[in-house]
Amino acid sequence: MEVEVAPNAAPLQGDKECDVVIIGAGIAGISTAYEIATEGARVLVIDRGKIAGGITARTTAHLAPLCDDLTSAMIGLRGEEISRLFYESQAAAIDRIEEIQNKEAIDCDFRRLDGYLFQALNTDSKIIEDELDAVRKVGAPVHRLVGVPFSHCEQQHVLRYPRQGTFHPLRYLKGLAAAVEAKAGTFHADTVVESIEERDDGKVVVSTAGGKVVARAAVVATNSPIVDRFALHTKMAPYRSYAMAFSIGKGAIPDALYWDTLDPYHYVRLQPGEGQTDHLIVGGGDHKSGEADDAEVRFQALEAWTRNLIPAVQEVTHRWSGQILDTIDYAGFIGKNPGSENIYVHTGDSGQGITHGVVGAMINSALIQGRGSNWAEVYAPSRKTPAAIVNFVKENITAVKNFAEYLAPGELSAVSDLKAGHGAIIRHGLSKIAAYRDSAGKLYARSAACTHIGCHLHWNSFETCWDCPCHGSHFAFDGTPLNAPAVSPLAAHEIEDKP
Ligand code: FES
C-alpha cells in the first residue's frame, strides 16, 4: 500500500516568513523540521515533488550505525577518534528514531534486531578479521560467530552487531510530518526553488515561482545540494543501487539485518506483512549512476543470489532502484555551507541515508539554535581528508571522461531509428540530443547537457529517465528535473522527425 506522507501539502503561493526554511522533504528535511519545531521555532518545508517522494522513498531502511564501507576503511582515512564519533552519532540517530516513534505514537514497525556481517561465498575471512579489530577500536559491541541461517553459509565467518534497528520509513515520516504540522510547521509540495540568497541583514531569501520565503536560516537537504555549485560535488559521487522484495513465509529466517563482505555488498532484511507472509527485501548490484543501463541483468543476478542463499523466498513482488551519494571519506556533509552565514547543508548520505538524515537533523538544528555539537567535526562540509586523495581522484575521473563523450558519435544515427518507449543519445550537427519516443510515437528532443554544469547525460531505461553520472541529477524523459543538483529543465531542441 502506497503511503502518502503529507497528502495535503499544496504548492507555495505568496510570500512567507518563518524562522527556518528547509528545502528537501526527505528523511533529513522532515527530521530537521521536527527538531526545530520541537524547540518552538516556525519551520516551513519545501519540496520540488511530493513530500518524501524522492530518494528517501527508495531506501531499504537498514538502521546500522557502523560505517557500511567498513569501519577498518574509515579508520584508515579518518583515524580512530573520528570513526568512534561517527559510530556514536549514527547509534544516537537510531536511539532518536526509537524515542520519537514512542513519543509521537507512530505506527511504523520500528524494532531493534541483530545485524550480521557475513563472509561472502568464495572469499576468505580477512575482511571479517580486520573488521572485528576495527569495530572493537571504536567501542561498538560485536560478537564473532560462525554461520548465518542461509543455505551454503553454515561455515561462513560472521560478525554479529546487537541492537541495530529497522522500520517502515514512509510510515515513520508520515507520523513525523503530522507532528511537525501539529507544532505549526508547514509543508509545500510541488514547489521548485529558483534561488537561495543571503541578504546583507543576514536573512535568507528562498525564491520559488509561487513566492518568496524569508527566514533567519535555511537548510538545504536535497539529496544533492542545490546551493553549492562545485566544491561539495567534487567530494562525492552518485551510485545506483537496486532492491527487490520477495514474499516469504513468516519465520522462514530470523528477523535481522544481514549484509555480506562483497563490494558492492548484498543486504537483506524482513518487512512484516499481513497474515502468514512477510516481505524479504534484498539490495545490491550498485554501479556509478549513468554508467550502466542493464537493470534487468542486475535484478536477475540479485534474484539468483537470493534464491541460492534463501530458497524459502516465493514470488518477486516489487523491484526498484535508488541513488546513493558516496563521499570520498564515508561520512556525509552536514553543517554550515562553506562561505555562508545562515545556510546549512545536508548531503552525501553514503548508503546510510536514514541514520544520516536523523543525525544531520540533530546537528543542524543545534548549530542553528547556537549550540555546538560533538559530532559537527565528523560531518563538517569544509573538512579536508588528505588520506582520501585516491578516492577523490577516482571519483572525479568520471567528469573528465564524461566531457570527452561530447566528441563521440551518438548511440543512434537518426531520430527515425528511435523505437517507441526508448531513449537514446543522438548527434545532431555539433550538438548531442537526449531523445525519447513515448508509446504513442511522440518524440521528446532535449539537449543532452545536464543543466547543473553540463555533463553528458545517459539514458536509464528502467527508471525511464536521464541520469547524470557526474553529480547525480536525474531528468524525466521530457527534461523536467527530478533530482538535484540540477534545478532547470533540459533545453528543448528542434529536430526534424522524419518517418
Ligand atoms: Fe553536475 Fe550533472 S549533476 S553536471
Side-chain angles (χ1 to χ4, degrees):
M1 186 183 69
E2 287 274 306
V3 177
E4 284 195 80
V5 168
N8 299 322
L12 181 71
Q13 290 295 338
D15 295 345
K16 308 272 181 198
E17 284 201 24
C18 63
D19 294 312
V20 181
V21 57
I22 296 163
I23 300 131
I27 180 74
I30 302 175
S31 299
T32 305
Y34 179 83
E35 299 296 351
I36 289 171
T38 298
E39 296 194 46
R42 295 166 304 149
V43 291
L44 186 147
V45 184
I46 294 172
D47 198 286
R48 82 159 91 207
K50 301 291 167 224
I51 303 304
I55 293 297
T56 294
R58 293 155 181 257
T59 179
T60 55
H62 283 234
L63 308 182
L66 286 156
C67 175
D68 80 329
D69 289 289
L70 298 175
T71 300
S72 49
M74 187 170 217
I75 290 176
L77 291 185
R78 304 201 63 192
E80 284 180 30
E81 179 57 14
I82 290 286
S83 301
R84 186 187 66 72
L85 287 169
F86 176 86
Y87 160 69
E88 179 188 291
S89 64
Q90 297 277 319
I94 305 175
D95 293 345
R96 185 69 179 137
I97 293 169
E98 183 171 32
E99 183 184 359
I100 291 171
Q101 56 93 36
N102 269 330
K103 182 172 167 212
E104 304 293 347
I106 301 174
D107 177 11
C108 61
D109 293 328
F110 177 88
R111 59 212 187 272
R112 293 283 188 172
L113 68 191
D114 287 341
Y116 295 92
L117 170 65
F118 66 97
Q119 175 194 0
L121 298 181
N122 306 315
T123 65
D124 66 30
S125 60
K126 181 161 182 351
I127 290 178
I128 294 289
E129 281 142 24
D130 291 350
E131 197 58 4
L132 178 63
D133 275 354
V135 168
R136 283 180 172 152
K137 281 180 185 156
V138 300
V142 56
H143 306 275
R144 185 166 183 169
L145 315 172
V146 174
V148 284
F150 296 167
S151 294
H152 319 296
C153 294
E154 298 79 3
Q155 299 305 318
Q156 300 306 97
H157 292 256
V158 178
L159 297 182
R160 178 173 75 84
Y161 304 122
R163 279 183 62 74
Q164 315 286 288
T166 194
F167 66 168
H168 191 298
L170 291 183
R171 281 197 225 144
Y172 174 75
L173 287 178
K174 187 175 177 68
L176 197 64
V180 171
E181 286 175 327
K183 298 174 199 299
T186 52
F187 290 90
H188 293 284
D190 302 314
T191 299
V192 177
V193 169
E194 294 171 344
S195 66
I196 305 167
E197 289 165 20
E198 273 182 312
R199 290 194 319 214
D200 290 345
D201 64 359
K203 293 272 176 82
V204 181
V205 182
V206 175
S207 300
T208 77
K212 290 185 191 319
V213 182
V214 178
R216 72 179 165 85
V219 180
V220 180
T222 48
N223 172 245
S224 183
I226 58 172
V227 73
D228 170 277
R229 197 140 183 86
F230 203 67
L232 291 179
H233 294 294
T234 62
K235 297 192 281 186
M236 54 189 185
Y239 284 79
R240 278 261 176 206
S241 191
Y242 295 83
M244 54 202 308
F246 300 79
S247 53
I248 188 169
K250 277 195 192 302
I253 65 167
D255 188 16
L257 308 180
Y258 306 89
W259 64 104
D260 69 14
T261 52
L262 289 180
D263 181 17
Y265 60 90
H266 298 96
Y267 44 101
V268 178
R269 78 163 175 94
L270 287 167
Q271 175 61 36
E274 305 290 322
Q276 288 308 303
T277 305
D278 285 338
H279 283 104
L280 185 90
I281 298 173
V282 183
D286 307 12
H287 63 82
K288 211 159 185 188
S289 289
E291 291 200 344
D293 185 24
D294 56 359
E296 273 310 321
V297 174
R298 287 171 198 269
F299 282 124
Q300 283 169 16
L302 210 46
E303 181 170 354
W305 180 89
T306 308
R307 292 195 186 280
N308 184 36
L309 268 63
I310 313 171
V313 292
Q314 298 159 12
E315 74 274 13
V316 175
T317 58
H318 302 80
R319 305 192 311 175
W320 68 99
S321 77
Q323 182 165 278
I324 296 158
L325 283 173
D326 272 349
T327 69
I328 59 171
D329 64 4
Y330 312 138
F333 295 113
I334 296 161
K336 198 174 276 193
N337 185 50
S340 301
E341 275 309 307
N342 292 307
I343 300 175
Y344 297 77
V345 289
H346 180 123
T347 188
D349 288 339
S350 300
Q352 294 174 279
I354 297 291
T355 48
H356 264 83
V358 175
V359 76
M362 292 192 276
I363 293 171
N364 274 336
S365 60
L367 297 179
I368 288 168
Q369 305 289 20
R371 302 188 305 272
S373 165
N374 288 343
W375 307 316
E377 183 189 357
V378 179
Y379 301 95
S382 57
R383 70 180 182 269
K384 303 229 176 333
T385 308
I389 184 68
V390 172
N391 287 346
F392 178 86
V393 171
K394 185 182 98 186
E395 300 300 11
N396 282 284
I397 280 173
T398 296
V400 176
K401 282 195 311 194
N402 181 280
F403 278 102
E405 288 180 39
Y406 280 107
L407 302 174
E411 293 159 345
L412 295 177
S413 48
V415 282
S416 54
D417 296 338
L418 189 61
K419 295 196 179 75
H422 288 253
I425 298 292
I426 295 171
R427 176 166 288 289
H428 187 231
L430 292 177
S431 306
K432 286 293 213 47
I433 311 299
Y436 172 75
R437 193 182 295 285
D438 70 16
S439 54
K442 182 174 175 190
L443 178 71
Y444 297 81
R446 302 289 183 265
S447 165
C450 174
T451 56
H452 176 223
I453 57 168
C455 280
H456 187 294
L457 299 172
H458 292 181
W459 179 242
N460 180 332
S461 54
F462 179 66
E463 297 285 350
T464 324
C465 73
W466 297 101
D467 283 350
C468 182
C470 287
H471 315 113
S473 292
H474 305 153
F475 298 86
F477 61 82
D478 64 355
T480 304
L482 300 173
N483 198 59
V487 291
S488 307
L490 299 176
H493 197 100
E494 289 298 320
I495 188 166
E496 200 177 347
D497 188 17
K498 286 194 203 135

